[in-house]
Amino acid sequence: MRDNDSATATATIAVRTPATAGPDTPAADTPTADTPTGGAPAAAAPTARGTLVGRGALLAALGVASFSLTFPGTAWALEGMGPWTVVMLRSVLAAVLAVGALTVLRVRLPERRHWLGLAVVAGGVVLGFPLLTTLALQTSTTSHAAVVVGLLPLTTAACSALRTGVRPSRTFWGASLVGAAVVIGFAVQQSGGAPGRGDLLLFAALLVCAAGYTEGGRLARHMPGWQVIGWALVLALPVTVAGAAVALSSEPLQLTVHSVSGLLWLAFGSQFLGLVVWYRGMAAIGIHKASQLQLAQPLLTLVWSVLLLGERLPPAAPVAALAVLGCIVVTQRARG
């Protein structure tokens, strides 16, 4: 749980420009904000970069806070709707918002080279993760799912390493394997000796979401983050519209305060706005640093499961969540 504008903090190289430069180009020998000489202007560059990083961290944190409410929102929506109805309607409603924004702002179609990446985002974040986790929550509690999906920063980091060709250290992989073992052990213990159907769905959700996060973070360096998720929603629209029509005709529908509130949050909070600020934050501070902020997500979800759903946490849940958090901290230090 868990779907941002491009704001990469790349340093500008000061160049000597001819006298005929345009009105927006610095005159010859004029120091820019990133020029190492020139007194006060040079000092402004670290400040500007620091502000950019701070803003990116805040946006990524808002995304994490939004995602932490995804499972409780799903549990509420399932009180009055079937799982396929929830998944398809949340994507259709989010796509309506995305299409409106793209149309009003007259955004051009993405370059052809970006469509494959957008298809990965659509398959992982718009369709795969919501569907798999919603189906899992029919048999798993939100607290149980939160602990399992707490492994997402590790799977995202591993996916990012494979995508970029970076080779993490043995410490990174060792901590990742320990974290995976903790989650698998928790799932087996809670399921009575073997991972249940819900656990298998959650593990699959981790993989597709990690791929969507990684590709979305990469694309957010080339286009605004809200456009990344916006075009992914548009790309999935033929599937989600057809799926919504079939689901509404075959699954029961009961509109209650909880079911409607949960659906609206999933559509506008988790599926669109949350991913907008998340991808923008990742573009500004990088996937590596953004994943550090995601450490708080499973713990926040555990809190929401108690406050909003009245669930009673098994003693192993917070222990496993903290153990996974510790493993993720080790991986972040090993990579950075």
Side-chain angles (χ1 to χ4, degrees), residues 211-330:
Y213 275 2
T214 300
E215 202 62 25
R218 185 189 68 81
L219 288 171
R221 297 189 179 100
H222 302 281
M223 67 180 76
W226 73 270
Q227 292 182 24
V228 173
I229 186 58
W231 287 117
L233 286 164
V234 171
L235 192 61
L237 200 53
V239 175
T240 55
V241 168
V246 173
L248 286 170
S249 64
S250 59
E251 292 183 333
L253 178 65
Q254 184 178 1
L255 300 181
T256 65
V257 173
H258 273 188
S259 64
V260 173
S261 299
L263 178 65
L264 292 178
W265 174 257
L266 293 174
F268 303 125
S270 297
Q271 191 74 76
F272 187 74
L273 297 178
L275 285 168
V276 166
V277 295
W278 174 245
Y279 282 143
R280 182 169 183 173
M282 279 202 297
I285 66 177
I287 297 174
H288 165 54
K289 291 184 177 179
S291 64
Q292 293 181 11
L293 298 174
Q294 211 172 15
L295 300 176
Q297 185 173 325
L299 297 176
L300 285 173
T301 301
L302 291 180
V303 172
W304 298 133
S305 68
V306 173
L307 296 180
L308 298 179
L309 304 175
E311 291 186 3
R312 298 183 63 181
L313 299 181
V319 174
L322 289 172
V324 171
L325 188 152
C327 292
I328 296 173
V329 169
V330 173

Side-chain angles (χ1 to χ4, degrees), residues 11 44 62-63 65 74 79 84-85 87 124 133-134 139 159 176 206-207 209 211-213 219 232 302 324:
L62 289 175
T74 302
E79 291 181 11
W84 290 89
T85 300
V87 173
T133 53
T134 300
T139 56
C159 185
S176 298
L206 287 173
L207 298 178
C209 189
Y213 275 2
L219 288 171
L302 291 180
V324 171

Side-chain angles (χ1 to χ4, degrees), residues 106 144 155 184 192 207 226 267 305 335:
R106 298 181 180 180
H144 180 96
T155 53
I184 293 172
L207 298 178
W226 73 270
S305 68
R335 297 182 72 220

Side-chain angles (χ1 to χ4, degrees), residues 144 146-155 158 170-188 203 206 295 298 316-317 319-332:
H144 180 96
V147 173
V148 176
V149 177
L151 202 61
L152 183 57
L154 294 181
T155 53
R170 293 180 179 178
T171 302
F172 171 87
W173 291 117
S176 298
L177 291 174
V178 171
V182 169
V183 169
I184 293 172
F186 170 81
V188 169
F203 290 142
L206 287 173
L295 300 176
V319 174
L322 289 172
V324 171
L325 188 152
C327 292
I328 296 173
V329 169
V330 173
T331 63
Q332 299 302 320

